[in-house]
Amino acid sequence: MTDTAVSGDDVVVRAFVGSFTSAGGRGVTAVAVDPESGALTDLGATDAVPDPSYLALGHGPGPGGRTLYAVSETEHGAVAALDISADVPRPLGGLRPVDGDGPTHLALAAGHLLTANYGSGSVSVLPVRADGTPGPVASVLRHTGSGPDRDRQLAPHAHQVLPDPSGNWVLGVDLGTDSVRVCALDPATGELRVHDETRLRPGTGPRHLAFHPGGGHAYVLNELVPTVTVCRWNAAAGALEPVGETSVLPEGAGGGAARTYPSEVVVSHDGRFLWTANRGDDTLSVLALDATGERATLVTTVDCGGHWPRDLALDPTGRRLYAANERSGDVSWFDIDPGTGVPRRAGSLAVPAASCVIFA
């Protein structure tokens, strides 16, 4: 059995990697993380969940505590819970349907598990039971609308769902409607109700967002254009206000017919830097944030260490970045220069069809 922390520094030494079983992946792979070098060591995998493209971890006591959750990004989507008390995750019960197609993201909020269902353009809410397993769907919020891109935006495509730092709101990022929905979740019934909808620039295709550690700003990464939309976040009012848009690529890069399909955005623990993964040109972007968190400036881009970086994760120490390179089938790790925020590749581990990385 592998400990999840070492010594008095409470350094996490385990992580989990999701992968597409339909593309040769092993499902959910557990890895040990060397606290000194950041190097990954394969501990084993389970293929009990088909196409577990995104993972979420329950923390602390109570329902879902120390339980790993996975979407099954299939036509008729599902979620699963996994016990992580041993080296290799073990399924807790079977797959639970989410009443939505192609779930791409999931998160825990107010005693419930929520999934963003890309195919059906909806967000599903499932209660988490006392044993950590998800119960039957309590509610489904179906998005409406479209965007100007006739190939990608004919209908809603919910791509991410997550709680805000205050825990009072749930935000749903929709690539198909160029918008972010701010929702209220009833902890008693699981009903998800739209409180407000923030419209972004048409055709940008928002994919994921990340909050500033101060809680007053959010950064929306767009997939159809290589930019980050900087937003003010008012937790008291549940209001998201766009205030600027910054390219994640140098001038002249990512233009023409070849898109770069940015995939993930991560903010440093101290709020000084922001990083994105860009699949089309296999790069990671480094942006500097000003003291207010409201201005983002592109510093540079670096090679992702593989091909098609689908996910990017910051380790709990804030010293390293990990890129899940889907098409080259590896997870690469990078040491971050504390002064400039620029990542330097330090190694990689083969993980076929890697799709996401999450730290225990």
Side-chain angles (χ1 to χ4, degrees), residues 95 139 212 255 268:
L95 296 175
S139 69
H212 189 278
S268 65

Side-chain angles (χ1 to χ4, degrees), residues 74 94 105 127 183 239 251 278 288 336 354-355:
T74 53
H105 192 270
C183 301
E251 186 175 354
N278 313 304
I336 301 169
S355 58

Side-chain angles (χ1 to χ4, degrees), residues 81-288:
L82 300 103
D83 179 356
I84 57 171
S85 60
D87 278 349
V88 179
R90 179 181 61 84
L92 289 171
L95 296 175
R96 174 70 70 179
V98 299
D99 295 352
D101 302 337
T104 56
H105 192 270
L106 78 170
L108 291 154
H112 291 80
L113 187 65
L114 296 89
T115 67
N117 309 314
Y118 182 88
S120 53
S122 61
V123 174
S124 299
V125 183
L126 300 86
V128 176
R129 300 187 292 200
D131 63 357
T133 60
V137 170
S139 69
V140 177
L141 177 64
R142 304 189 187 281
H143 293 179
T144 59
S146 60
D149 188 315
R150 307 317 292 168
D151 293 328
R152 298 290 306 279
Q153 295 184 312
L154 287 177
H157 292 300
H159 213 299
Q160 184 194 37
V161 60
L162 76 166
D164 85 309
S166 75
N168 294 325
W169 306 100
V170 170
L171 282 74
V173 183
D174 196 300
L175 184 150
T177 63
D178 290 319
S179 64
V180 178
R181 290 167 177 81
V182 180
C183 301
L185 174 62
D186 187 325
T189 66
E191 180 186 4
L192 195 63
R193 177 181 55 82
V194 176
H195 166 75
D196 194 17
E197 184 173 357
T198 300
R199 302 286 181 176
L200 304 182
R201 184 165 66 87
T204 52
R207 177 182 173 96
H208 278 194
L209 72 76
F211 284 97
H212 189 278
H217 291 85
Y219 308 94
V220 183
L221 180 65
N222 301 304
E223 178 174 328
L224 302 185
V225 298
T227 62
V228 166
T229 302
V230 179
C231 301
R232 293 180 187 141
W233 171 243
N234 183 335
L240 187 71
E241 177 192 1
V243 293
E245 191 175 334
T246 301
S247 176
V248 300
L249 297 178
E251 186 175 354
R259 281 179 165 165
T260 51
Y261 301 106
S263 58
E264 185 59 290
V265 56
V266 175
V267 182
S268 65
H269 295 334
D270 60 9
R272 296 172 57 218
F273 302 107
L274 177 153
W275 301 277
T276 74
N278 313 304
R279 289 170 289 181
D281 66 351
D282 295 329
T283 62
L284 308 181
S285 298
V286 185
L287 289 83

Side-chain angles (χ1 to χ4, degrees), residues 290-327:
D290 71 358
T292 69
E294 195 154 302
R295 180 178 173 81
T297 303
L298 180 65
V299 175
T300 190
T301 60
V302 300
D303 190 277
C304 72
H307 180 33
W308 207 252
R310 186 180 178 89
D311 189 41
L312 188 64
L314 187 66
D315 82 333
T317 71
R319 298 181 301 178
R320 296 184 185 91
L321 281 169
Y322 292 76
N325 297 314
E326 180 185 351
R327 294 185 180 174

